[in-house]
Amino acid sequence: MARFTLPRDLYHGRGSLEALKGLSGKKAIICVGGGSMKRGGFLQRAEDYLKEAGMEVIIFEGIEPDPSVETVMKGAAVMQEFQPDWIVAMGGGSPIDAAKAMWIKYEYPDTTFEDMCKVFGLPKLRTKAHFCAIPSTSGTATEVTAFSVITNYQEGIKYPLADFEITPDVAIVDPELAETMPPKLAAHTGMDAMTHAIEAYVSTANCDYTDPLALHAIQMVKDYLVKSFGGDTDAKAKMHNAQCLAGMAFSNALLGIVHSMAHKTGAAFEGGHIIHGAANAMYLPKVIKYNSKDPAAAERYAYIADFVKLGGSTTEEKINNLIAMLRKMNDDLNIPQCIKNYGEGGLPAETGIVPEDEFLEKLPKIAANAILDACTGSNPRQPSQEEMEKLLKCCYYDTEVDF
């Protein structure tokens, strides 16, 4: 038996932020990040709409990119004191992911972070509050997913939390918020969405309910991401929908080792973080080549190539055309092709922020952690320690995957 879970209500289109006026409750906490929502006036609008709905409102600000365990615990303590019956998270994936983890701790104060990391092992939520998610970036789709990613900085590891209980009750997908994204952010989040859709389509947990969502999302990202990166407003709106469709697919079909590796390399190096979407963009072509040794995965990758009309007369040619398309998108979006050339802010550089000696020193541990990541179980091929290390080396040096 399989399960397909989405938010109870999803409001979309320009002006859909106004749906907050329809929520019913007494108290709401709004969780936000650095300040783009405030600068754009969206935070004030959200607060006003919730007050119009008759709620007392407080704001928890300053959730950092790649939110930490410490931030989660701090936010949960604020919730414990305020006792909201609505948690409203708005902004990029980070504040929404953090608020999901805060929600768990708020409802079950004795829960540890280690408890939260037990895959599909959470207790029933909604004993104290419901959850509304409002994304301002077009990539993570956390507004419709059963996932959250929290970083343990002491270990240098990002941990995915996975349970249908943290799927939001309400999602508001308003493209006006996404128009605030700078080009670099549009590029990185957009390739995150492409990775979600492709990994969901070839996941061992794919099904008839997730396949159409994944395929349509792939087509939309192919058609609109580079235009969105260039500032096209209509393309930005299309991308905001595309990433949400990709999220619906992967939340139910799960992901693969592109995300496993991105989670475990993101905060592992002293020179700086590897931005999640950029990591996915760099690793995806390599993982496609690795997974294509599996006949079922190869057939699905070839079908994607056919679906988006890339040409090719054999399965191998079609897969190579898909890889070439993704690498060209990276070039068009100014994303490096490998870790070695990953510079500040995710931009290409001759000498990146991850030195070769540090990478090689940490490689065995990163590989072992990636194998244990929650996303690995639904990957078409299950890598050994040796294979994972070889694959990560290919992602560092941009060398051919031939194993």
Side-chain angles (χ1 to χ4, degrees), residues 95-159:
I96 299 175
D97 279 4
K100 285 181 175 181
M102 293 172 192
W103 184 22
I104 301 167
K105 182 70 173 176
Y106 166 50
E107 298 227 359
Y108 295 93
D110 293 334
T111 300
T112 65
F113 181 67
E114 289 71 24
D115 293 333
M116 296 182 194
C117 294
K118 295 174 183 175
V119 177
F120 294 99
L122 292 179
K124 291 288 183 183
L125 297 182
R126 297 163 183 81
T127 62
K128 294 182 180 179
H130 287 80
F131 195 100
C132 173
I134 310 166
S136 66
T137 59
S138 301
T140 70
T142 187
E143 73 276 5
V144 293
T145 76
F147 296 91
S148 165
V149 179
I150 305 298
T151 302
N152 184 325
Y153 285 93
Q154 292 182 346
E155 298 179 3
I157 296 176
K158 292 183 178 182
Y159 285 94

